[in-house]
Amino acid sequence: MSQMNRRRALQLLAALGTTGLVAACGNDTDGASGSTGSPIKIGLIAPQAGGLKAIGDEIVNGFQLFLDLNEQQLGGHPVTLITANEGNDVKSGKAAVDELLSQGVLALTGVVNSAVMLGIRDTVEKARVPLIGSNASPSTLQSVVYIWRTSYVLDEAGRALGGYLKEQLKPGSRLGIIMPDSVGGEDVERGFREEFGSSDPRLAGPVVWTTAADNPGKTAFSQDIRKALQKHPDAILCFFTGEAGVEFIKQLREAGYKGPVYAPGFLTEGTALESMKNDALNIQTALNYSADLSNTANRVFASEYRKKLGSSPTTYAMASYDAAQVLHQAIQLAGANPNPQEVNLALGKLGQIDSPRGIWQFNQPRTPQQKWYLRQVQRDGQVLSNVLISELATLG
């Protein structure tokens, strides 16, 4: 951390009435202020249109915020951040990767869609350029050398909810499961069953699989919802994100269901929560981050995010901010003239990361070992918010 940013951290902590500057700077790998290294390029892959655009915007916002707080540098090197449009399928995602690689980037980051992440795997591994994915993280992405993830593995969201609902649901109650027919939906459903129990009598029939469209129509889920409600569930478990999540909850409420809804936290993150309005009240979600976590790193991150963007940060922005943070540390370790392979080796040497989500570290599969939290949508004055309820588990 530069001297300028040390002073900024002091000002922030003083203004917030917090202590613990040592914790805020404990992972300091910088020397004096000012650039000491040669300019570098980082490529960021994110959707720039469609139903996942809002998540892509958050990923850009999180990475750029870290650069703003670090004089537009990573590891002492001035950074040019080049963004490329992920699009909505593997073909467009691969085109984005090829475009960035042709421009000589030192590392890649971003990626929202799990199918895209799987589709670009071989391209990234062959290029030997590290990709620090900040969202998409299918469980089937294994045995990789150059792909790291600062987000989660999707089956962990299901496992966190499975363990919680196994204890929470009363004997004799019935849980309906509605999932998109996608890589992510399959991951969440499998993780849930591993913890909850596939033969548990509280499951209200088999999973109802729906369209996986990012931008579904106003009746896209109606038939599947009616099918699930025929089993008279006392609670619903689902997994949707972005505009698909908004439309699903709207159609679920229109079908007359007013009971409890449980989901991975992506359902109610960011602009999706604002769009759901009162339909989202009391939805409980499991996620690796909450904007109201009380730790020094989050107080600084959330304060700066709200100041710059006028809204609370999401897990998407947080994971992208952490992607910048781990690149910052790895590039510093790699030396004055780093190449992609040296940065990749340095990523493997990082220890604990002091993150807004709490302390975490990379495990052997190159994904985070981290805490998962239970949140509930509540009203804070006129604003809906994902309020932290408790810790659920440490996974990874």
Side-chain angles (χ1 to χ4, degrees):
M1 183 179 289
S2 70
Q3 295 299 322
M4 178 182 295
N5 286 317
R6 286 180 186 278
R7 288 196 296 271
R8 181 61 178 149
L10 277 168
Q11 292 165 359
L12 281 168
L13 292 169
L16 291 165
T18 62
T19 59
L21 183 60
V22 172
C25 303
N27 287 335
D28 188 2
T29 58
D30 287 347
S33 63
S35 172
T36 58
S38 57
I40 59 175
K41 298 176 183 177
I42 303 294
L44 192 153
I45 305 155
Q48 297 174 3
L52 298 177
K53 180 182 182 298
I55 298 174
D57 291 345
E58 286 287 284
I59 285 174
V60 174
N61 290 342
F63 201 96
Q64 186 59 59
L65 180 62
F66 187 90
L67 292 179
D68 292 347
L69 297 176
N70 288 274
E71 303 172 0
Q72 306 304 313
Q73 298 178 36
L74 292 177
H77 296 259
V79 172
T80 298
L81 182 63
I82 307 171
T83 59
N85 185 11
E86 178 180 332
N88 58 8
D89 57 29
V90 173
K91 182 179 179 180
S92 57
K94 189 176 183 304
V97 172
D98 290 339
E99 174 189 341
L100 293 170
L101 291 174
S102 72
Q103 297 188 57
V105 296
L106 181 65
L108 299 162
T109 190
V111 188
V112 170
N113 189 308
S114 290
V116 170
M117 179 64 87
L118 291 172
I120 65 176
R121 176 195 188 278
D122 291 346
T123 300
V124 173
E125 292 289 297
K126 183 178 179 180
R128 300 175 67 209
V129 172
L131 164 61
I132 297 83
S134 52
N135 187 63
S137 189
S139 63
T140 50
L141 184 67
Q142 298 177 356
S143 301
V144 289
V145 176
Y146 283 88
I147 299 178
W148 308 73
R149 288 156 281 175
T150 57
S151 49
Y152 45 76
V153 179
L154 270 175
D155 64 345
E156 293 171 359
R159 289 167 56 195
L161 284 166
Y164 171 67
L165 290 178
K166 185 176 183 178
E167 302 299 325
Q168 181 74 10
L169 294 180
K170 296 178 180 179
S173 59
R174 297 174 61 79
L175 177 69
I177 304 178
I178 308 177
M179 296 279 171
D181 190 4
S182 65
V183 172
E186 292 172 359
D187 275 349
V188 171
E189 189 266 347
R190 185 183 64 256
F192 176 82
R193 285 182 179 273
E194 287 176 358
E195 294 295 324
F196 188 81
S198 295
S199 60
D200 193 302
R202 291 173 293 180
L203 295 179
V207 177
V208 175
W209 298 100
T210 76
T211 175
D214 296 334
N215 193 8
K218 296 185 181 301
T219 60
F221 302 112
S222 298
Q223 184 175 348
D224 295 318
I225 288 172
R226 284 197 298 271
K227 182 178 179 181
L229 295 184
Q230 287 174 358
K231 302 293 184 180
H232 305 290
D234 300 297
I236 292 289
L237 171 70
C238 64
F239 165 65
F240 295 94
T241 64
E243 293 180 13
V246 175
E247 199 57 54
F248 173 79
I249 292 299
K250 179 180 180 182
Q251 292 176 36
L252 182 66
R253 299 310 191 196
E254 287 176 347
Y257 180 77
K258 304 301 180 184
V261 175
Y262 302 95
F266 325 114
L267 179 68
T268 59
E269 277 291 271
T271 57
L273 180 57
E274 300 167 12
S275 299
M276 288 179 192
K277 300 180 180 178
N278 287 339
D279 286 341
L281 277 171
N282 297 317
I283 290 177
Q284 290 193 354
T285 62
L287 201 58
N288 61 344
Y289 176 69
S290 175
D292 57 356
L293 281 170
S294 181
N295 62 61
T296 302
N298 191 49
R299 285 190 285 269
V300 173
F301 168 68
S303 173
E304 288 295 298
Y305 191 93
R306 291 184 179 111
K307 183 184 301 182
K308 179 180 179 181
L309 296 157
S311 61
S312 293
T314 62
T315 190
Y316 313 120
M318 178 278 296
S320 191
Y321 180 90
D322 273 3
Q325 181 176 191
V326 299
L327 273 174
H328 171 68
Q329 295 184 25
I331 291 169
Q332 181 73 25
L333 286 174
N337 296 292
N339 62 42
Q341 295 77 42
E342 290 168 342
V343 173
N344 197 66
L345 285 172
L347 285 164
K349 299 176 182 178
L350 300 182
Q352 293 185 331
I353 307 300
D354 189 7
S355 165
R357 77 188 84 178
I359 298 293
W360 67 272
Q361 62 187 25
F362 283 120
N363 56 21
Q364 189 173 5
R366 289 162 158 69
T367 62
Q369 183 181 49
Q370 62 186 331
K371 290 180 179 179
W372 284 77
Y373 304 94
L374 178 69
R375 315 175 316 164
Q376 183 174 35
V377 177
Q378 298 179 7
R379 186 172 294 285
D380 182 9
Q382 297 299 311
V383 179
L384 290 173
S385 180
N386 290 295
V387 177
L388 178 66
I389 302 298
S390 64
E391 292 182 10
L392 289 176
T394 297
L395 301 173

